[in-house]
Amino acid sequence: MTMAFTDETVRELLLSVGLDPAAGDDVLERSFAELDLDSLARVEIATRIQDRFGVDVEERLTADATPSLMKKLVTERLPATGA
């Protein structure tokens, strides 16, 4: 069974690589650069996604990308559940 990649999952990943817990509710729409998450943080997020969900998004996690884009990329690439 595939785990869901939810907004909460995204927030947990962001916090695990150094996002300020007081960053606010709009973190999914702000770029990684605006969130002060550098390339090392983005690589760490991509590695955790690869390990946990089997989806490789590292090359798409640029400074200008947003966590909501990351969520969309992962969700589109997750294996379909059920069948």
Side-chain angles (χ1 to χ4, degrees):
M1 184 168 87
T2 303
M3 291 183 284
F5 195 77
T6 63
D7 287 355
E8 186 59 32
T9 306
V10 172
R11 183 172 274 280
E12 288 171 10
L13 283 167
L14 295 172
L15 290 170
S16 73
V17 298
L19 176 69
D20 181 350
D25 294 331
D26 65 341
V27 294
L28 296 184
E29 301 308 323
R30 293 166 56 195
S31 72
F32 286 107
E34 290 171 330
L35 296 171
D36 289 326
L37 296 175
D38 63 12
S39 60
L40 263 170
R42 295 191 309 271
V43 167
E44 180 63 24
I45 288 173
T47 300
R48 291 176 187 216
I49 290 170
Q50 176 77 47
D51 291 348
R52 190 166 163 193
F53 297 94
V55 176
D56 181 8
V57 294
E58 183 175 339
E59 66 186 32
R60 302 289 304 271
L61 298 187
T62 64
D64 295 328
T66 62
S68 64
L69 172 65
M70 176 183 71
K71 180 184 173 199
K72 180 178 186 272
L73 291 169
V74 173
T75 303
E76 287 174 351
R77 296 175 184 183
L78 279 175
T81 57

